[in-house]
């Protein structure tokens, strides 16, 4: 892709000097520098979190561990209905 790029004079001077020293085209050095700069920032990772599993033991009879979200929803509905009935009686 061809594009126009404005480079600060000091950076252009360094790139031209390196192009002469390495006998590489200016364009190639600019592309290499951009790749290196972008790849460094993309490969930096944040802090590593370590998760240690905990065994909670056997599930209670009738409790499907794959449907815990449904259980939470049912408990929330029960709580809402209980509070609504309490508010109606007041």
């Amino acid at each position: 892709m061809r594009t126009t790029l404005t480079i600060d004079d000091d950076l252009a001077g360094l790139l031209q000097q390196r192009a002469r020293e390495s006998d590489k085209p200016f364009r190639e050095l600019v592309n290499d520098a951009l790749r290196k700069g972008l790849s460094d920032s993309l490969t930096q990772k944040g802090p590593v979190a370590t998760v240690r599993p905990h065994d909670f033991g056997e599930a209670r009879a009738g409790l499907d561990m794959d449907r815990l979200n449904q259980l939470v929803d049912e408990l929330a509905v029960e709580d809402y209905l209980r509070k609504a009935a309490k508010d109606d009686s007041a």
Side-chain angles (χ1 to χ4, degrees), residues 32-82:
D32 289 346
L34 287 172
R35 277 191 192 93
K36 183 178 179 188
L38 291 173
S39 68
D40 287 348
S41 66
L42 293 176
T43 57
Q44 291 177 353
K45 304 213 188 254
V48 176
T50 303
V51 178
R52 285 179 258 148
H54 178 76
D55 183 11
F56 289 101
E58 289 292 319
R60 292 183 182 178
L63 182 62
D64 185 355
M65 296 300 280
D66 294 328
R67 299 181 75 181
L68 288 178
N69 285 338
Q70 181 180 355
L71 175 63
V72 170
D73 290 342
E74 291 171 3
L75 291 173
V77 168
E78 287 177 13
D79 188 47
Y80 173 78
L81 292 175
R82 184 177 45 80

